[in-house]
Amino acid sequence: MNYRQARWREPLIFEYSRRGKRGLRVPEVEQEIKDLVGPVNKIVPVNMLRRSPPNLPEVSEVEVVRHYIRLSQMNFGVDVGPQPLGSCTMKYTPKVLERIVEVKELAKLHPLQDESTLQGIMEILYKLGEWLCEIVGLHKCTFQPAAGAHGELTGALIIKAYHRFRGEERDEMLIPDSAHGTNPASAAMAGFKVIKVPTREDGCVDLEALENALGERTAGLMLTNPNTLGLFEKEVLEISRMVHKAGGLMYYDGANLNGILGITRPGDMGFDIVHINIHKTFAAPHGGGGPGASALCVSKELEDFLPVPIVEYDEGRDRYYLKWNLPHTIGMVRSFYGNIVPLVKAFAYILLLGPEGLRRTAEIAVLNTNYFISKIRKIRGFTLPYDPQRPRKHEVVISARDLKRDTGVTAEDVAKALLDYGFYAPTIYFPQIVEEALMIEFTETESKESIDAFIEALKDISEKAYNNPKEVKERPKDVAVERLDMAYGNLPRVLAPTYWKYLERRKEGLLP
Ligand SMILES: Cc1ncc(COP(=O)(O)O)c(C=O)c1O
């Protein structure tokens, strides 16, 4: 255990502020951009233009640098150590991608420029769309959804529009009980009644229960494969056949695509709609690391329902253009084309790796998981529920139920103790069908050495739990912020504690 996080007593950036201090003089908008975009008040409605300057802290460059470096030293990210946060695919993102998105030709584009000046970025989006459709085995895609859950909502709205267009009243969405919480939430937001499908003892969808749930009101099934237990749904072809026979559509939650990338394709499994979490599988940081992005790919039959605009290519004129007139479009679900930065990163990442490289990412991710499983079996207090002999794909859910029963140390205690060993906490208590769940995903970017270190940390925690559980329950101790009160931390009124601090100080007249 050689990890210690810095503990600065760092003031708010506003507390450094002194009138007249300057770190940077913001240059005038370059003429080149003004010429392309036009005067600001022609784009932003006059009533929305700012009347007075924003209340920004006035600080020098060195103060800004030191402030944020200190904060970063009290934080944890994948550049510091492994983040085995199951279901989130927190892979290390190659730094070269940051350089690529900063090139002037991309960074200075504005979506309101004339299409003729946006040919480069449109080519990137068009080709990326074609590659992703090839990867998932579907026909056409949109990049409008801002992240995975937004992709689900868009997909659910397409399913709704499709049935409505066919004159069918289908208002039930089937969702396995192992699904991510966003699946039922998205379906409900799109106006569907959610029907839960149970998981069998082997960790896969219960086909008998599915058969009973299907009917003439079934709009579709939202399925994650590999599922959130890390298991491949071995009867997926049969599941697709059953859902289609009942008149429903198959929706694929692609958050777990990393486990099958380049090996098999949702389209070949019978799925009609797929969302891809670009920020998980294709190397844009996920979670606090910048915006995410989603690609929503659909079959030919559903193409006309996609949100508009979509990027198209006119072969005759050798020109890319935005197509707005899809006959049954559900409309826009977000401004412009989507979150461009993660999309450009995905384009570069696919180019860098090529088909062989993409397949290799999935193979190594799966190998890492199963190497970990081979070791976890020997650690006291942890078990592998649901068909323990079957290999997992890119992630695994272990249970600390026995540890809790024997020592009182819970999955949450284990996750918190791991922080002291230089690991980010794994996902806990999800999926809900596993008691005292710890969901672990190393991704392909972790080495055997870091997985070994994680195993050693778990062993140490287990030994300590059996000898002195109190010690484990008091962890973490070596991080900037020790044990948080989980319930208090969840209260809406303290959701943004730093900003809260700013408002309190302002109320006391200590800050402008
Ligand atoms: C299985 C699964 N589905 C959907 C989502 C939602 O994706 P996003 O966080 O990009 O909205 C997640 C997120 O972690 C997930 O793990």
Side-chain angles (χ1 to χ4, degrees):
M1 201 199 300
N2 56 9
Y3 180 70
R4 290 267 182 292
Q5 213 170 41
R7 287 186 181 205
W8 296 97
R9 212 169 285 156
E10 189 59 18
L12 298 172
I13 189 85
F14 287 93
E15 290 172 272
Y16 285 110
S17 181
R18 298 289 176 275
R19 180 148 304 169
K21 270 195 196 177
R22 283 286 173 279
L24 170 81
R25 278 186 205 286
V26 183
E28 268 284 304
V29 175
E30 284 169 30
Q31 193 58 42
E32 198 189 331
I33 296 182
K34 273 190 189 159
D35 291 345
L36 285 171
V37 175
V40 167
N41 58 8
K42 286 238 173 97
I43 302 167
V44 183
V46 176
N47 62 343
M48 290 177 81
L49 284 176
R50 221 185 268 284
R51 310 233 174 274
S52 55
N55 179 23
L56 295 176
E58 298 184 58
V59 278
S60 69
E61 178 176 325
V62 66
E63 282 166 333
V64 173
V65 170
R66 286 185 183 153
H67 176 70
Y68 286 106
I69 292 286
R70 286 184 190 133
L71 289 183
S72 78
Q73 289 173 342
M74 295 195 287
N75 205 348
F76 193 93
V78 81
D79 287 352
V80 175
Q83 287 196 273
L85 197 63
S87 205
C88 288
T89 314
M90 306 291 279
K91 58 172 82 172
Y92 171 80
T93 311
K95 294 288 171 262
V96 64
L97 299 177
E98 301 299 330
R99 301 257 300 275
I100 289 169
V101 292
E102 277 169 10
V103 299
K104 185 169 129 250
E105 288 75 8
L106 288 170
K108 291 202 168 167
L109 294 177
H110 192 283
L112 288 175
Q113 282 175 219
D114 188 82
E115 262 176 41
S116 63
T117 67
L118 292 170
Q119 288 296 303
I121 189 67
M122 287 216 243
E123 182 176 351
I124 289 179
L125 294 178
Y126 183 80
K127 290 195 168 149
L128 178 62
E130 294 228 300
W131 294 345
L132 293 175
C133 283
E134 173 68 26
I135 286 170
V136 298
L138 285 172
H139 174 71
K140 194 84 201 159
C141 97
T142 170
F143 293 118
Q144 264 193 22
H150 196 197
E152 293 166 25
L153 173 65
T154 310
L157 290 171
I158 290 177
I159 294 176
K160 193 170 168 179
Y162 170 81
H163 291 307
R164 191 170 283 168
F165 168 71
R166 289 161 55 96
E168 295 192 12
E169 276 280 322
R170 291 178 176 266
D171 57 358
E172 291 180 355
M173 188 65 83
L174 273 45
I175 302 180
D177 58 0
S178 61
H180 194 258
T182 49
N183 289 190
S186 304
M189 275 177 84
F192 289 109
K193 195 168 134 204
V194 174
I195 311 287
K196 212 197 262 189
V197 183
T199 298
R200 262 186 334 227
E201 270 182 14
D202 66 354
C204 292
V205 169
D206 185 332
L207 261 58
E208 222 178 291
L210 175 66
E211 185 66 61
N212 292 337
L214 287 165
E216 53 192 32
R217 301 205 77 89
T218 304
L221 171 76
M222 293 177 90
L223 190 64
T224 315
N225 194 21
N227 65 26
T228 60
L229 294 166
L231 286 164
F232 192 85
E233 291 284 351
K234 47 193 174 188
E235 285 139 328
V236 65
L237 293 176
E238 177 59 9
I239 293 173
S240 295
R241 194 196 59 75
M242 288 163 68
V243 173
H244 286 148
K245 189 167 162 235
L249 291 174
M250 287 286 288
Y251 181 92
Y252 180 85
D253 176 338
N256 291 351
L257 188 65
N258 211 49
I260 57 164
L261 193 60
I263 295 170
T264 181
R265 309 188 307 170
D268 300 341
M269 300 174 206
F271 287 94
D272 307 286
I273 312 184
V274 168
H275 89 252
I276 299 171
N277 285 47
I278 297 284
H279 46 292
K280 295 184 177 188
T281 314
F282 295 103
H286 177 204
S294 179
L296 189 79
C297 307
V298 297
S299 63
K300 187 147 183 48
E301 206 181 355
L302 297 174
E303 177 182 1
D304 288 345
F305 295 88
L306 281 172
V308 284
I310 51 169
V311 181
E312 279 293 5
Y313 176 58
D314 179 341
E315 248 184 278
R317 288 168 54 232
D318 187 21
R319 273 262 173 273
Y320 294 91
Y321 65 100
L322 293 179
K323 186 171 178 181
W324 289 89
N325 58 343
L326 288 181
H328 311 301
T329 177
I330 58 164
M332 288 184 93
V333 294
R334 188 193 181 283
S335 55
F336 303 118
Y337 326 110
N339 279 337
I340 292 293
V341 167
L343 296 173
V344 172
K345 283 182 181 171
F347 179 80
Y349 182 73
I350 294 175
L351 261 185
L352 280 169
L353 267 68
E356 282 306 312
L358 291 180
R359 184 186 173 102
R360 196 96 186 100
T361 62
E363 286 170 351
I364 300 174
V366 172
L367 182 64
N368 278 353
T369 309
N370 289 287
Y371 172 69
F372 169 70
I373 293 172
S374 72
K375 304 279 174 182
I376 191 74
R377 295 185 204 278
K378 295 177 197 123
I379 308 181
R380 199 169 164 206
F382 297 103
T383 52
L384 181 60
Y386 293 102
D387 206 349
Q389 297 315 320
R390 207 173 151 213
R392 269 37 180 184
K393 293 288 175 250
H394 62 301
E395 69 191 0
V396 58
V397 183
I398 60 173
S399 168
R401 191 191 60 180
D402 293 358
L403 191 75
K404 183 180 171 192
R405 182 198 59 211
D406 299 345
T407 70
V409 169
T410 62
E412 182 191 337
D413 297 326
V414 174
K416 290 194 165 169
L418 276 166
L419 300 174
D420 271 350
Y421 293 76
F423 293 100
Y424 195 79
T427 303
I428 50 174
Y429 302 115
F430 168 63
Q432 289 173 353
I433 54 173
V434 174
E435 237 181 286
E436 294 300 315
L438 287 144
M439 186 188 219
I440 295 156
E441 177 180 6
F442 292 107
T443 82
E444 70 283 2
T445 61
E446 288 311 325
S447 63
K448 176 177 175 296
E449 287 73 21
S450 59
I451 301 171
D452 284 339
F454 187 81
I455 292 159
E456 285 310 310
L458 277 183
K459 259 192 210 157
D460 202 52
I461 292 169
S462 158
E463 271 164 32
K464 287 202 165 78
Y466 279 95
N467 291 326
N468 182 5
K470 187 165 169 285
E471 200 207 321
V472 178
K473 288 180 105 38
E474 282 168 357
R475 298 222 158 248
K477 286 195 177 294
D478 295 323
V479 290
V481 180
E482 291 180 13
R483 201 144 171 128
L484 288 175
D485 180 330
M486 297 280 271
Y488 184 71
N490 258 336
L491 292 179
R493 72 192 169 87
V494 286
L495 254 185
T498 301
Y499 192 61
W500 187 254
K501 218 152 85 178
Y502 166 72
L503 291 178
E504 298 237 298
R505 294 202 189 154
R506 215 164 86 152
K507 221 162 52 190
E508 291 160 23
L510 297 174
L511 283 174

